[in-house]
Amino acid sequence: DVKVTQSSRYLVKRTGEKVFLECVQDMDHENMFWYRQDPGLGLRLIYFSYDVKMKEKGDIPEGYSVSREKKERFSLILESASTNQTSMYLCASSLNPGNSPLHFGNGTRLTVT
Amino acid sequence: GQSLEQPSEVTAVEGAIVQINCTYQTSGFYGLSWYQQHDGGAPTFLSYNALDGLEETGRFSSFLSRSDSYGYLLLQELQMKDSASYFCAVGRNSGNTPLVFGKGTRLSVIA
């Protein structure tokens, strides 16, 4: 079974802090994704990566960056956290970007105060 | 751009059948997926349709009509544990670009 692990389940940060959300997958998937989930808005893609050191912007990349130094690890970085980034963050991995199942982590609920 | 429409909420009785519809507008359509998410949990993959027709997996079935840009998820013999949010998602461009998700349908199963 694919396991996608997000390092923190809950996180509270202050406005202006730099925040790192870590995600690790154990199935050797090349494709990894960061989504943000807000009530009534569904899942929105922030960034994705097809391979090590490769990244592509999703639909809402502003205020975020990512890092993929190793195949199994994909990090989401909030350069200067703001209150409108309070949300549930979901990491996922898959064999193919758009036609094979996404395997999600359990999510990180981030609160920025 | 692309858009997906699905009802925000559906309520159904235990033991009944419920259908959750999804209409989409997108270029380069490749396939339609469905995901289930229980409160506090991660979304999990349910089904995928690339071709027109019905795909059945146990109590769950998914249907696609490419000509109508429409699909649905059918849940039979509803159980209380089926109470969850259900998301449709479109794949595009031969599956080489990430899925785009709908806003989700919250299904409440009542006794």
Side-chain angles (χ1 to χ4, degrees):
Chain A
D1 246 9
V2 177
K3 193 168 175 72
V4 179
T5 304
Q6 296 184 230
S7 54
S8 303
R9 187 79 169 111
Y10 298 94
L11 214 51
V12 179
K13 296 292 182 181
R14 297 205 170 198
T15 302
E17 277 193 81
K18 190 168 186 175
V19 182
F20 293 86
L21 303 183
E22 306 287 346
C23 175
V24 178
Q25 52 97 2
D26 66 358
M27 276 300 290
D28 205 35
H29 285 165
E30 293 190 344
N31 302 283
M32 296 190 73
F33 311 83
W34 276 105
Y35 286 90
R36 170 178 172 160
Q37 184 172 25
D38 300 288
L41 297 179
L43 285 79
R44 293 179 293 166
L45 183 66
I46 305 171
Y47 266 96
F48 60 100
S49 170
Y50 291 136
D51 203 348
V52 175
K53 295 193 187 294
M54 177 275 171
K55 59 186 178 185
E56 291 282 347
K57 292 180 180 178
D59 299 316
I60 52 165
E62 295 78 21
Y64 304 94
S65 62
V66 290
S67 172
R68 186 125 182 242
E69 295 295 320
K70 294 185 177 181
K71 191 174 187 178
E72 67 270 21
R73 186 179 298 269
F74 192 34
S75 303
L76 180 69
I77 303 156
L78 287 67
E79 297 290 342
S80 176
S82 63
T83 55
N84 63 12
Q85 293 178 309
T86 291
S87 187
M88 172 66 82
Y89 290 89
L90 291 162
C91 174
S93 74
S94 72
L95 270 175
N96 297 304
N99 65 353
S100 63
L102 285 176
H103 300 269
F104 284 89
N106 283 329
T108 296
R109 181 163 295 282
L110 172 68
T111 302
V112 182
T113 61
Chain B
Q2 51 276 331
S3 67
L4 293 93
E5 296 290 331
Q6 53 180 130
S8 58
E9 294 182 6
V10 172
T11 300
V13 177
E14 191 175 17
I17 299 172
V18 72
Q19 179 174 311
I20 299 173
N21 298 321
C22 175
T23 58
Y24 58 87
Q25 286 186 322
T26 186
S27 58
F29 175 83
Y30 190 73
L32 187 70
S33 301
W34 288 91
Y35 285 77
Q36 178 192 58
Q37 185 181 31
H38 287 100
D39 285 347
T44 56
F45 172 78
L46 287 177
S47 69
Y48 174 71
N49 294 68
L51 302 175
D52 285 358
L54 193 68
E55 295 277 345
E56 298 182 61
T57 310
R59 293 188 297 114
F60 292 7
S61 303
S62 57
F63 172 82
L64 175 65
S65 169
R66 296 172 70 110
S67 59
D68 295 322
S69 298
Y70 163 75
Y72 65 73
L73 181 69
L74 191 74
L75 295 81
Q76 302 183 73
E77 301 173 18
L78 279 173
Q79 301 175 11
M80 301 299 284
K81 68 178 182 179
D82 297 328
S83 293
S85 293
Y86 293 85
F87 296 88
C88 59
V90 294
R92 299 165 296 141
N93 302 324
S94 302
N96 292 322
T97 52
L99 295 178
V100 175
F101 283 83
K103 294 181 179 178
T105 298
R106 185 167 183 85
L107 171 64
S108 298
V109 180
I110 59 176

